[in-house]
Amino acid sequence: MGNLNVVGLGPGNKDNMTFRAYDALIRSDYLVGYTNYIKLIPKEITGKEIISTGMGDEVLRCEQALEKANEGYEVSLVCSGDSVIYGMASLCYELINKYKNVTINVIPAVTAAVSGSALIGAALGNDFTVISLSNYLTKKEDTYKRLKACAEADFVMALYNPKSNKRPDCLKDACEFLLKYIEEERICAVAKNIGRENETYEIMTLIELKDFDADMYSTVFIGSSMTTIIDDKFVTKRGYSI
């Protein structure tokens, strides 16, 4: 039997990686991942066979990892952020029936919603949701249905994939849609390069967010009615009487 560890690397540096994730990388014979995620593996982890693929090759990547594990190797399939939240864990389970000699170990990590929330203050202090704006695997109309429901339910929203080369107006369009349900002054924030070099964030209103230049390395936060600014930080109150 071989082991496939589906490893969340966290936001991008060793300090924010779990001990369990680091140990899995150390034990592994093979490290498999998207080319840019392979670069996030700590430099001291050497002597491993590396298999990397490009964007859009997620099925191939999982199959390659499962094949090596099926041969009896210890394999780690790495994911940026968490291994379950928009990670490869679910796809590996979908494919597992083809590989009878593999045990899957899912190793969670700190996703961008959590690490970004800490960077900007305490964004996720009350009920929240995570939504990807990418239409790669989800229809735009389904994404907007979810945005509407979350706005009406007064969730804090953490938005992933706010922009790409093929979707330059994705965030702008989403903000224009949300302005039908949320006031212009709603507190929002954009965290960039979380846990990496040039880490930064900005706090703004929803109307300002509409024209903000987010990028592929940005996570967007849209506050709820419980969100306020305290000491220049984005804070969502839990509801205590103080």
Side-chain angles (χ1 to χ4, degrees):
M1 293 289 289
N3 290 312
L4 173 57
N5 308 301
V6 190
V7 180
L9 295 177
N13 59 38
K14 183 180 176 182
D15 289 345
N16 288 306
M17 184 181 296
T18 67
F19 289 116
R20 187 179 171 200
Y22 189 84
D23 288 345
L25 299 179
I26 291 290
R27 292 196 314 270
S28 293
D29 303 302
Y30 283 85
L31 302 178
V32 185
Y34 172 49
T35 305
N36 287 343
Y37 299 164
I38 291 291
K39 297 176 183 177
L40 299 177
I41 295 172
K43 292 182 173 56
E44 68 268 23
I45 297 178
T46 59
K48 312 297 181 181
E49 295 291 335
I50 303 295
I51 300 175
S52 62
T53 61
M55 183 66 72
D57 292 329
E58 290 84 2
V59 174
L60 173 62
R61 190 151 64 240
C62 290
E63 289 176 337
Q64 290 174 325
L66 285 162
E67 285 170 5
K68 288 301 179 184
N70 200 56
E71 293 171 12
Y73 292 104
E74 184 87 13
V75 181
S76 283
L77 174 62
V78 299
C79 308
S80 174
D82 182 66
S83 51
V84 175
I85 301 173
Y86 304 124
M88 293 289 96
S90 60
L91 180 54
C92 287
Y93 277 114
E94 289 182 64
L95 297 169
I96 189 62
N97 285 337
K98 300 178 184 178
Y99 306 92
K100 302 303 181 183
N101 298 311
V102 178
T103 298
I104 294 177
N105 305 304
V106 179
I107 300 177
V110 180
T111 187
V114 174
S115 53
S117 172
L119 173 64
I120 66 178
L124 307 183
N126 210 317
D127 295 338
F128 69 93
T129 187
V130 178
I131 296 177
S132 171
L133 295 185
S134 172
N135 60 4
Y136 176 52
L137 295 173
T138 304
K139 295 178 181 178
K140 184 176 179 179
E141 53 265 33
D142 290 337
T143 298
Y144 278 47
K145 184 189 302 182
R146 293 164 189 170
L147 289 172
K148 178 177 182 289
C150 291
E152 292 179 335
D154 198 26
F155 285 113
V156 175
M157 289 179 259
L159 305 183
Y160 287 30
N161 303 309
K163 185 178 181 180
S164 71
N165 293 332
K166 294 182 179 179
R167 301 177 296 107
D169 296 322
C170 185
L171 179 59
K172 180 178 182 179
D173 292 345
C175 288
E176 289 179 347
F177 176 79
L178 286 170
L179 283 165
K180 300 175 184 177
Y181 309 98
I182 300 175
E183 72 278 6
E184 294 182 358
E185 295 76 21
R186 180 65 60 88
I187 299 170
C188 300
V190 178
K192 291 187 177 184
N193 301 309
I194 303 168
R196 305 174 187 177
E197 291 185 12
N198 303 316
E199 176 186 74
T200 186
Y201 72 91
E202 291 188 45
I203 295 176
M204 65 205 74
T205 64
L206 180 57
I207 193 66
E208 291 170 333
L209 177 64
K210 181 174 71 72
D211 296 311
F212 187 83
D213 186 24
D215 59 23
M216 295 173 64
Y217 301 100
S218 299
T219 303
V220 174
F221 293 85
I222 297 176
S224 72
S225 62
M226 298 289 287
T227 300
T228 188
I229 298 176
I230 301 175
D231 291 336
D232 297 322
K233 291 290 189 175
F234 181 118
V235 178
T236 301
K237 299 177 181 179
R238 184 71 179 91
Y240 296 106
S241 299
I242 58 174

